[in-house]
Amino acid sequence: MAVFATADAPLRAGAVCEAMDVEIEPNNINNVRLKLKRLVERGILVETEQGLFTQPRP
């Protein structure tokens, strides 16, 4: 969540991996994408476009 707190624009899963110092590999990107989609389902994040994630606006 700290990654999104400092972001000024929606992020893709690859950018989240970079920000968390996770290796940029297809498997890691897919795992992060699945976690981001779960956060969207719970209302913690919003998917503004397909593959772009951000925090909901208050």
Side-chain angles (χ1 to χ4, degrees), residues 4-5 7 13-14 16 24 28 31 35 37 42 44 51-52 55 58:
F4 288 99
V16 174
I24 308 299
N28 290 342
N31 288 337
K35 290 175 185 175
K37 290 213 178 250
R42 294 179 180 162
I44 297 169
L52 287 174
Q55 289 183 323

Side-chain angles (χ1 to χ4, degrees), residues 8-41:
D8 57 348
L11 299 173
R12 295 196 179 276
V16 174
C17 285
E18 283 182 35
M20 295 188 325
D21 292 328
V22 175
E23 279 190 51
I24 308 299
E25 297 179 349
N27 192 34
N28 290 342
I29 293 172
N30 286 333
N31 288 337
V32 168
R33 184 180 299 115
L34 288 173
K35 290 175 185 175
L36 293 173
K37 290 213 178 250
R38 274 189 230 126
L39 291 173
V40 169
E41 289 174 2

Side-chain angles (χ1 to χ4, degrees), residues 2-13 15-16 45-46 48-49 51-55 57:
V3 173
F4 288 99
T6 60
D8 57 348
L11 299 173
R12 295 196 179 276
V16 174
L45 292 178
V46 175
T48 57
E49 293 179 25
L52 287 174
F53 302 92
T54 189
Q55 289 183 323
R57 295 183 185 230

